[in-house]
Amino acid sequence: AEKAPAKAALCQACHGPAGAKPIMDVYPKLNGQNKAYLVTILKSYRSGERSGGQSAVMTAQAKMLTDEDIEALSSYYASQP
Amino acid sequence: AEKAPAKAALCQACHGPAGAKPIMDVYPKLNGQNKAYLVTILKSYRSGERSGGQSAVMTAQAKMLTDEDIEALSSYYASQP
């Protein structure tokens, strides 16, 4: 699996190592998820289009990410077992 | 893993067998996801609170589900390898 991008530390705080152990069970696991889904949803949070769930927190996080970050983080988590 | 609830056929149409093979890569895999996350998000779609992504389709699907359905489907998909 790929090395974690630096900004994965942001995600890890809630989704856990490799996104596999979220700190709360109402948060989603990210490991092995579809990359294109992660890209689409991160951009949806970043644009503020996504509501519901933890959208307030996720929108704040996603606004710190460039398109390159989103690509790197999505392929990192998609590649985690 | 548990037997699929009857209404899993609704989900399978887009998320694939055991939710592991979505028919489009912008749809999420459901297999092995946190049960409490699936319950929270299905209820969020059902109430119309969740926007972004495929919320239009998901809201229509979720409105066909009772609380018992949501529990059964969430634990089914969470238990899939």
Side-chain angles (χ1 to χ4, degrees):
Chain A
E2 298 172 22
K3 210 175 77 48
K7 289 196 178 173
L10 281 176
C11 319
Q12 182 158 323
C14 294
H15 294 283
K21 287 192 187 61
I23 57 168
M24 289 187 59
D25 61 9
V26 290
Y27 299 165
K29 295 178 189 177
L30 305 178
N31 54 312
Q33 185 53 270
N34 270 337
K35 176 184 173 179
Y37 169 73
L38 294 172
V39 169
T40 302
I41 294 303
L42 280 171
K43 289 181 174 176
S44 179
Y45 277 125
R46 186 174 64 182
S47 69
E49 186 209 329
R50 183 80 149 168
S51 63
Q54 301 295 328
S55 49
V57 172
M58 280 306 295
T59 297
Q61 303 292 337
K63 283 200 187 298
M64 294 192 269
L65 303 178
T66 63
D67 285 352
E68 292 69 30
D69 291 331
I70 286 179
E71 278 297 315
L73 289 165
S74 298
S75 59
Y76 169 68
Y77 285 108
S79 73
Q80 296 307 297
Chain B
E2 297 172 23
K3 208 175 78 49
K7 289 194 177 175
L10 282 175
C11 317
Q12 181 159 323
C14 294
H15 294 284
K21 288 193 189 59
I23 58 169
M24 290 186 59
D25 60 10
V26 289
Y27 299 165
K29 296 177 189 177
L30 305 178
N31 53 311
Q33 186 51 272
N34 269 337
K35 176 184 173 179
Y37 169 73
L38 294 172
V39 169
T40 301
I41 294 304
L42 280 171
K43 288 183 175 176
S44 180
Y45 277 126
R46 187 173 63 182
S47 69
E49 186 210 329
R50 181 82 148 169
S51 63
Q54 302 295 328
S55 49
V57 172
M58 280 305 297
T59 297
Q61 302 293 336
K63 283 202 186 298
M64 296 191 270
L65 303 177
T66 64
D67 285 352
E68 293 69 29
D69 290 330
I70 286 178
E71 278 295 318
L73 289 165
S74 299
S75 57
Y76 168 67
Y77 284 109
S79 72
Q80 296 306 298

